[in-house]
Amino acid sequence: MKFKKIILTIIAVMMMITVPVMAEEESDVVKVAYPLDFADVRRVHFMLNTLNNLVKHYQKNLIDYEISIVAYGPGVQYTMKDFKGTGYVGKPYLTHGGPVNNGTQGRMDTLKQLAGDNLRVFVCENTMTKKNVKKEQLQPYSEVTPGGVLKLIELQKEGAALIKIR
Amino acid sequence: MKSVSKTKFLSLALLVSCAQLDAADWLMLQGSQPEMVAPKGVSVPYRSKIPKLWGFIQANYKNDRGDVQISPTGVNQTPFSLLNPDLKDQSGFNVFRARLALRGMADDENLVNYFFMTEFGNSGVNNLAGHREVATYFTDASVTLKHVPYAKLRVGMFKTPGSEEGLQAVFVSPYVEFTTMTNQQLLERQVSDVGAADPVPAKGGAAASNIHYTSTSVDQPIAAFRDTGAQIFDTVPVSDTWAVTYAYMYGNGNGVSMKGSDKQKTHYGYLALEDNFNDKRGYFHESMKFYGWIQDGKRTLLSNDGITTTEVNVNRQRYGVGMTYYQNGLRFEAEYMKAKGMIFTGAKDKDTDPLKEDWQFQYAVGDENTADGGYVNLQYEVVPKKFEVFGRYDIMDRLPNDEKAQRKFKTATLGLSYRFKGATRIDVNYAFRDAKAPGNSNAQKVLDNMGDRVSVQLTAAF
């Protein structure tokens, strides 16, 4: 009996030591999720501004990070390269305008090159079905996820900070 | 349930594809509101009840480098050396077009559309050949019903189906002046009161050969490619990219005059086949289009020989075929047109005061009369949608059936255009002009006064 108590105590002490360490290890990776569910191009440029700042900060300070953009609803247009037969229309602001006049697509490409695999772009399959968007019509870096909101919930559960651009 | 959703989805997809097919089709663009819109990139059904207010101003400076010749009787013989619309001088600034328009949806389902446009500029609509009394100040007022699939109905006053040059929105073209054939034979100067026939027709002959009339009053505005009537039209997709556009219109034949009579009834027909390369709308829609059109109507003149007034009924036919191509900044257009029956033969000064003019219009009537002509046009955007260079060559052979009255016109226009945004731009044109009277040496002496013309035009569209 005494031996059993000793064993339990040791296990409890080990847990007290180990769990915070594990938690600390998880918190070393900064996770951020951006919902892209709006059409307003000014908001998209603002979102890209904040993303640029984040990526530069984390890279400069050698901080591990995982940024996810989750596109659904009107925001899916910003992850597309071909609009034919879809419920979206390719607008000039995708390729023109913005700080260096390369549009939202040009800025997304630059950002993706800068961040590499630390930046992932998820596109809602429900929206794609509704708006008749095929996977091959998306930008090559886009990843299809069954539901945009589901993905956001999942990312939040994993500890991602949700940044909603207004 | 699944099959219902699929059907709905396919319907939506079809609707989207149909909506995009009217992109460069002027009949659809002017006659109906779009089925779908995507102001922020997402296609949604057009259901806005707020009227769209739009318009444009075109102010220009022109300089004609020809000569003016006054006959010993004090009559100005060279209207071609004077500037439209008032034919008074050879250079000057002019607000040629100042138009304000409203269009939109008049129901809840986008099945009833309307289009209304005014004109306040110093143009043929308000000041034809210096006749200020013709002014109407408005050019378009129409209602379109879209209840029957592929058979839209437009009723009111609007642009008639016809030549591309006349049918396209006038403020998009970088050319300041129309081609000679379009200006003289399609842009109708309508008159009712004319003098005696010249020469007097043989007894018993209806409209004998080579009969000409000169108006005694100008009391109607230029027709501006428009008429009042009813039109059935639509665009029907025949494949993923190809579409057929058709139109038939029955009109009064009165242009934009305030008249409710169909005594000059005119039939208008139009058929076009277009391969759509992209889904943009309007002038920058990339496509290749082939089209043909015909206009066939009656015109009534009241001829007064100083004693009695006689009603003269004549035929007026116009038809043509053409094509347009626009892709990657390269635009090519060509059109061949023919006129038969009533032929406009120019303005004539009736005032013997050498310092004043009273411009009247001359016509050859009779079915034997013809005129034909056309143009080829090439435009290239050196800087896409910003800086464009262009050239156009147009010809007209007027009355080849009448040796004395025959005139041959040739015009080559070169120019460049800088766009500030969309249709808001500055255009510079230089037109090399030439005219011949092969069988009439006296007329040739007058035509030798024709000179080149420089135009600079500013367009602001909003």
Side-chain angles (χ1 to χ4, degrees), chain B residues 31-43:
Chain B
S32 66
Q33 294 300 101
E35 299 302 324
M36 308 288 285
V37 289
K40 290 186 175 177
V42 185
S43 287

Side-chain angles (χ1 to χ4, degrees), chain A residues 72-114:
Chain A
Y72 57 102
V76 168
Q77 63 179 299
Y78 294 101
T79 66
M80 292 170 63
K81 61 179 180 184
D82 176 17
F83 296 83
K84 195 171 183 182
T86 72
Y88 299 98
V89 174
K91 305 295 277 188
Y93 52 65
L94 296 175
T95 51
H96 296 87
V100 288
N101 199 31
N102 59 348
T104 56
Q105 284 179 355
R107 293 191 74 191
M108 285 280 274
D109 289 345
T110 309
L111 190 65
K112 184 65 186 155
Q113 283 172 3
L114 186 68

Side-chain angles (χ1 to χ4, degrees), chain B residues 171-285:
Chain B
F171 64 96
V172 299
S173 171
Y175 290 101
V176 179
E177 300 204 337
F178 291 115
T179 61
T180 309
M181 183 69 187
T182 297
N183 179 39
Q184 292 198 16
Q185 305 307 331
L186 303 188
L187 202 49
E188 190 178 3
R189 285 92 166 152
Q190 293 208 338
V191 295
S192 298
D193 300 332
V194 296
D198 177 28
V200 177
K203 278 187 180 175
S209 181
N210 303 336
I211 298 299
H212 293 245
Y213 288 96
T214 303
S215 65
T216 53
S217 68
V218 175
D219 54 8
Q220 299 166 68
I222 206 159
F225 307 113
R226 287 162 171 83
D227 197 2
T228 302
Q231 172 185 266
I232 295 172
F233 70 107
D234 219 321
T235 292
V236 183
V238 290
S239 76
D240 280 353
T241 60
W242 287 89
V244 170
T245 297
Y246 76 93
Y248 165 74
M249 178 182 178
Y250 177 88
N252 284 344
N254 296 325
V256 294
S257 304
M258 292 292 190
K259 289 181 177 177
S261 161
D262 71 346
K263 196 169 185 177
Q264 302 194 130
K265 61 189 173 199
T266 303
H267 302 275
Y268 303 87
Y270 179 89
L271 192 65
L273 181 65
E274 185 168 14
D275 186 10
N276 299 280
F277 304 149
N278 70 5
D279 56 5
K280 287 177 184 166
R281 290 170 60 83
Y283 193 60
F284 290 114
H285 173 60

Side-chain angles (χ1 to χ4, degrees), chain B residues 54-59 97-99 171 420-427 457-462:
Chain B
W54 64 282
F56 60 95
I57 296 168
Q58 288 190 308
R97 297 186 182 94
R99 297 187 182 178
F171 64 96
F420 300 101
K421 186 185 178 187
T424 299
R425 66 185 188 279
I426 183 167
D427 303 316
Q457 182 162 274
L458 270 170
T459 300
F462 54 94

